[in-house]
Amino acid sequence: PGNDFLGWLDLPEQMLSQVDAIAARANEIRANSDVLICIGIGGSYLGSKAAIEFLSPAFEAQRKPLVVFCGHQVSSDALGDLLDFIADKDVSVNVISKSGTTTEPGIAFRVIREFMEKKYGRSGAAARITATTDPASGALRKLATAEGYATFPIPEDVGGRFSVLTAVGLLPIAVAGVDIRELVQGAIDAKKFTSGSDLSTNIAARYAVARNILFRQGKVMEVLASFQPQIHFVGEWWKQLAGESEGKDRTGIFPATLDYTTDLHSLGQWMQEGSRTVFETFILFNKTRRSITIPSFADDGDGMNYLAGKDFEFVNDKAFKGTLLAHLDGGVPCSVIRVEDRSAAALGQLFYFFEKTIAISGYLLRVNPFDQPGVEAYKKNMFALLGKAGTEKQGEVLKKRLMDLGI
Amino acid sequence: PGNDFLGWLDLPEQMLSQVDAIAARANEIRANSDVLICIGIGGSYLGSKAAIEFLSPAFEAQRKPLVVFCGHQVSSDALGDLLDFIADKDVSVNVISKSGTTTEPGIAFRVIREFMEKKYGRSGAAARITATTDPASGALRKLATAEGYATFPIPEDVGGRFSVLTAVGLLPIAVAGVDIRELVQGAIDAKKFTSGSDLSTNIAARYAVARNILFRQGKVMEVLASFQPQIHFVGEWWKQLAGESEGKDRTGIFPATLDYTTDLHSLGQWMQEGSRTVFETFILFNKTRRSITIPSFADDGDGMNYLAGKDFEFVNDKAFKGTLLAHLDGGVPCSVIRVEDRSAAALGQLFYFFEKTIAISGYLLRVNPFDQPGVEAYKKNMFALLGKAGTEKQGEVLKKRLMDLGI
């Protein structure tokens, strides 16, 4: 089941012929924009967000252009802050949707399109909008053709959560200044250690088998724990990849993330001594970009002169090793994933590794890892409550239920 | 057990006499600083971070001064970005630690102190540093006295995760421009609906009882789900509050958060159809600050003109209601918490409500909700691996174990 959605398997090789066109469009946007607004939800948001956070400096003022995201929720306060923020800036837009009819990005794009057409005129706005959408059909494809937006295709055989290495992810990532050829090449290189049936060389299969065994032993949650804040949104991307692929038929590991050492002072207590229903996967860098040395102070009031002259990452490494041993002693099964560095190539490897792992993991659970039937449930109810044409009867039923619940 | 840590119960009333002094110091910082660096971890970080994200506009450039956090992790890349960011800015510092000897904030403060003394000279730096620490003893208290830092006390009978309404939280929150008297008054007002033994009027007790019943039925995880990104870090604060209070003695609900509708396109599939080991608590605003209307377009290619003229929050409300019914149908027990608005008063109520809930909840689990013995485990290992004096033997044992693990 799901074998019509295996396009991601050989996607990296296929994308090599498209990266120059994507990078060229990104360079146009970089040249004339302070801000790129990406409008998309789920797989049309998390992959590029993850890559940009992984590869960029921490502060908004350090990113030029700044890539911001909207249309992945419906908060009026958040959208209002964005409209204030871009009022006096030069803006480009990347609207990302296979169909063009998903509610959240759809209504956000209406607001942003109105803003752009007021600011730049209709044709000026059109020159600054790029649509990433179905190659042939759908509402957004039609609109892009009518208005003359630049477009990039979403392959038909690649699901949203596997789409980071299509134009969906690559255009915003390139706008953030990343060498996307290097990112794609990393994914290609990952095939070396994620292929074949030998668990001693295929580390994706090995990880998938370990996850499945642990889940069968009652470990219903997996915590992906990093010691670097730059990895946080890779974790969010992984949560969709894992949760949406495996969480069906009343089964599936619950994926959660923790940012250490921050969360050792939050959920660390639970991890150490709480319900033994969890296993943990550490994700580490072999190398960081910076080195910061701990200074010495003559007073040594804090008693930390024994660390003076050491690098922060020396401490971070001991924090990891101390945590690993502590959690093993606490009864938490642990795995370790090592990422070479904060490079596009290493991230490309990581993306592909996780995709392969989760696909195998889903099949080991005997679910279809490539569908997401449950995502429709809230949408159907929402449409009926919004009064969409043809849903009136269902709307009445739901309103009655809400009244009975006192909501 | 733990009844020597009940100071948070009547803390809000007691803080009324301190808010003016805290606000006065905050105003000095606001007058001469582009950036306030808060150095703290766990409860010395999450409360103020939660409040500032809840009450502030979304973008860094929209916050003056910008309150940033460090010393809650050990990443050299993150600290390096911060040093770049503040190089040409006017900076004040709030170092927050009961003892002054916690590793993460300790080493971060060494770097920031060096930066401040280079930039402003030793006495100039001292005038810009505020220490929030033990009222009488400890390394940070001693240093503050020696250097002449302004100080605020951390009450002895209030644990870290219950300290947001002490100076620990209130000073950074005030620097962000919040009326902290209103915040504290909100917490006082929350006593009205969180006291007494009648579950029909004490909603904290009612929520605690519900959580306990669900946990006994095998719902080992609670998801706190919001429809507003401003609530995200209240969820992070709550995760420490709940997880550290309850996760011990091999029991305790695992607290997780989801940001809807974003995560309906991520973990929504798992929530709808995955392992039935979860219950869900929705957290909503009755009122937002902004109203954004969905525009009409003549082409109506996306078919969303039926929503034209409606507010985003009209859609968001239907998304919530649709999700609630869908998850109930999917076998997820659900609760709803309504917060009046994005005001300091409403947030003060929310903080107090959660504190009371989790305290009761911990006692229902028959654990001490006010200790955190498990947090020491990684620290002990880390000290031994760092080579701290007196831990050499343990260090050798741990190094051997790591070698055997191939780490």
Side-chain angles (χ1 to χ4, degrees), chain A residues 46-87:
Chain A
L46 284 164
S48 52
K49 175 78 175 167
I52 290 168
E53 296 297 323
F54 186 95
L55 295 166
S56 305
F59 290 89
E60 289 169 3
Q62 294 170 332
R63 302 178 180 188
K64 282 170 193 172
L66 179 67
V67 180
V68 301
F69 296 87
C70 80
H72 60 88
Q73 28 89 345
V74 196
S75 163
S76 57
D77 284 7
L79 187 55
D81 288 343
L82 176 61
L83 291 172
D84 289 350
F85 180 69
I86 60 177

Side-chain angles (χ1 to χ4, degrees), chain B residues 243-262:
Chain B
E244 207 166 66
S245 299
E246 298 187 294
K248 50 197 72 160
D249 304 345
R250 307 220 154 203
T251 187
I253 297 161
F254 182 85
T257 56
L258 291 175
D259 297 324
Y260 292 159
T261 60
T262 307

Side-chain angles (χ1 to χ4, degrees), chain B residues 165-405:
Chain B
L165 298 173
T166 71
V168 168
L170 293 180
L171 181 63
I173 294 169
V175 171
V178 175
D179 181 340
I180 54 173
R181 184 173 290 276
E182 191 190 320
L183 182 72
V184 169
Q185 188 59 50
I188 293 170
D189 293 344
K191 286 201 170 174
K192 282 192 294 241
F193 51 82
T194 58
S195 298
S197 57
D198 182 346
L199 294 190
S200 72
T201 54
N202 183 341
I203 62 172
R206 188 157 86 233
Y207 177 28
V209 166
R211 296 176 87 244
N212 190 266
I213 291 169
L214 291 165
F215 184 65
R216 286 168 194 235
Q217 293 175 349
K219 309 298 182 186
V220 296
M221 280 171 268
E222 175 175 13
V223 162
L224 188 70
S226 85
F227 285 77
Q228 302 286 350
Q230 303 85 16
I231 297 179
H232 176 82
F233 273 92
V234 173
E236 292 300 307
W237 169 84
W238 167 84
K239 278 158 71 172
Q240 182 192 9
L241 183 71
E244 207 166 66
S245 299
E246 298 187 294
K248 50 197 72 160
D249 304 345
R250 307 220 154 203
T251 187
I253 297 161
F254 182 85
T257 56
L258 291 175
D259 297 324
Y260 292 159
T261 60
T262 307
D263 289 335
L264 289 172
H265 294 248
S266 163
L267 286 171
Q269 167 65 37
W270 189 97
M271 290 299 291
Q272 189 66 45
E273 300 185 341
S275 308
R276 300 299 74 180
T277 48
V278 65
F279 65 98
E280 187 168 27
T281 305
F282 293 96
I283 179 165
L284 305 169
F285 294 141
N286 286 333
K287 283 198 291 278
T288 56
R289 289 185 183 170
R290 317 273 295 232
S291 170
I292 309 255
T293 304
I294 298 166
S296 178
F297 278 93
D299 54 58
D300 197 29
D302 58 8
M304 290 184 202
N305 269 350
Y306 81 106
L307 297 173
K310 304 282 190 196
D311 190 272
F312 269 66
E313 291 302 329
F314 172 81
V315 178
N316 216 6
D317 175 65
K318 305 307 180 225
F320 153 62
K321 288 171 176 161
T323 305
L324 171 70
L325 294 174
H327 288 184
L328 288 172
D329 291 343
V332 180
C334 295
S335 306
V336 180
I337 296 169
R338 289 191 175 274
V339 182
E340 185 53 24
D341 54 25
R342 279 179 69 196
S343 66
L347 180 60
Q349 291 189 12
L350 188 64
F351 278 145
Y352 195 85
F353 163 75
F354 274 132
E355 288 174 358
K356 197 73 181 282
T357 296
I358 294 300
I360 298 170
S361 204
Y363 281 132
L364 290 174
L365 268 182
R366 302 188 179 280
V367 300
N368 175 353
F370 304 114
D371 68 358
Q372 53 284 330
V375 179
E376 298 307 311
Y378 96 90
K379 290 189 202 173
K380 271 185 204 159
N381 289 347
M382 179 176 71
F383 291 142
L385 292 168
L386 285 171
K388 196 176 179 179
T391 65
E392 292 81 358
K393 267 194 189 162
Q394 178 62 2
E396 290 311 311
V397 174
L398 297 180
K399 278 179 204 161
K400 173 79 172 52
R401 284 184 63 193
L402 288 166
M403 239 172 47
D404 293 346
L405 289 168

Side-chain angles (χ1 to χ4, degrees), chain A residues 72-324:
Chain A
H72 60 88
Q73 28 89 345
V74 196
S75 163
S76 57
D77 284 7
L79 187 55
D81 288 343
L82 176 61
L83 291 172
D84 289 350
F85 180 69
I86 60 177
D88 58 353
K89 293 188 172 60
D90 269 318
V91 177
S92 290
V93 175
N94 183 198
V95 53
I96 307 167
S97 176
K98 214 163 197 169
S99 67
T101 57
T102 305
T103 307
E104 292 91 334
I107 59 178
F109 182 54
R110 281 183 169 232
V111 171
I112 298 297
R113 181 181 164 194
E114 189 181 56
F115 165 87
M116 294 295 284
E117 293 185 354
K118 270 187 191 155
K119 185 171 177 123
Y120 296 108
R122 191 156 171 181
S123 68
R128 286 177 168 273
I129 297 175
T130 308
T132 307
T133 188
D134 187 277
S137 60
L140 183 54
R141 169 60 55 182
K142 258 188 216 162
L143 180 70
T145 304
E147 298 290 322
Y149 301 160
T151 65
F152 289 98
I154 306 179
E156 291 194 18
D157 55 355
V158 177
R161 60 188 174 273
F162 289 83
S163 71
V164 59
L165 298 174
T166 71
V168 167
L170 293 180
L171 180 63
I173 294 168
V175 171
V178 176
D179 182 340
I180 54 173
R181 185 173 290 276
E182 190 190 320
L183 182 72
V184 168
Q185 188 60 50
I188 293 170
D189 294 344
K191 285 201 170 175
K192 282 192 295 243
F193 51 84
T194 59
S195 297
S197 57
D198 181 347
L199 293 190
S200 72
T201 53
N202 181 341
I203 62 172
R206 187 157 85 234
Y207 177 29
V209 166
R211 299 175 87 242
N212 189 266
I213 291 169
L214 291 165
F215 183 65
R216 285 168 195 234
Q217 292 174 350
K219 308 298 182 187
V220 296
M221 278 171 270
E222 175 174 12
V223 163
L224 188 69
S226 85
F227 285 77
Q228 303 287 350
Q230 302 86 13
I231 297 180
H232 177 82
F233 273 93
V234 172
E236 291 299 308
W237 169 84
W238 167 83
K239 279 157 73 172
Q240 182 193 9
L241 183 70
E244 206 166 64
S245 299
E246 298 187 294
K248 51 198 71 161
D249 304 346
R250 307 220 153 202
T251 188
I253 297 160
F254 182 85
T257 57
L258 291 176
D259 298 323
Y260 292 158
T261 62
T262 307
D263 290 336
L264 290 171
H265 294 247
S266 164
L267 286 172
Q269 168 65 39
W270 189 97
M271 290 299 292
Q272 190 64 46
E273 300 184 341
S275 308
R276 302 296 78 180
T277 47
V278 67
F279 65 98
E280 187 168 27
T281 304
F282 293 97
I283 179 164
L284 305 169
F285 294 140
N286 285 333
K287 284 200 289 280
T288 57
R289 289 184 184 170
R290 317 273 295 232
S291 168
I292 309 257
T293 304
I294 298 166
S296 178
F297 279 92
D299 53 58
D300 197 29
D302 58 8
M304 291 185 202
N305 268 351
Y306 80 105
L307 297 174
K310 304 280 192 197
D311 190 273
F312 269 64
E313 291 302 329
F314 172 81
V315 178
N316 215 7
D317 175 65
K318 305 307 180 226
F320 152 63
K321 288 171 177 162
T323 304
L324 171 70

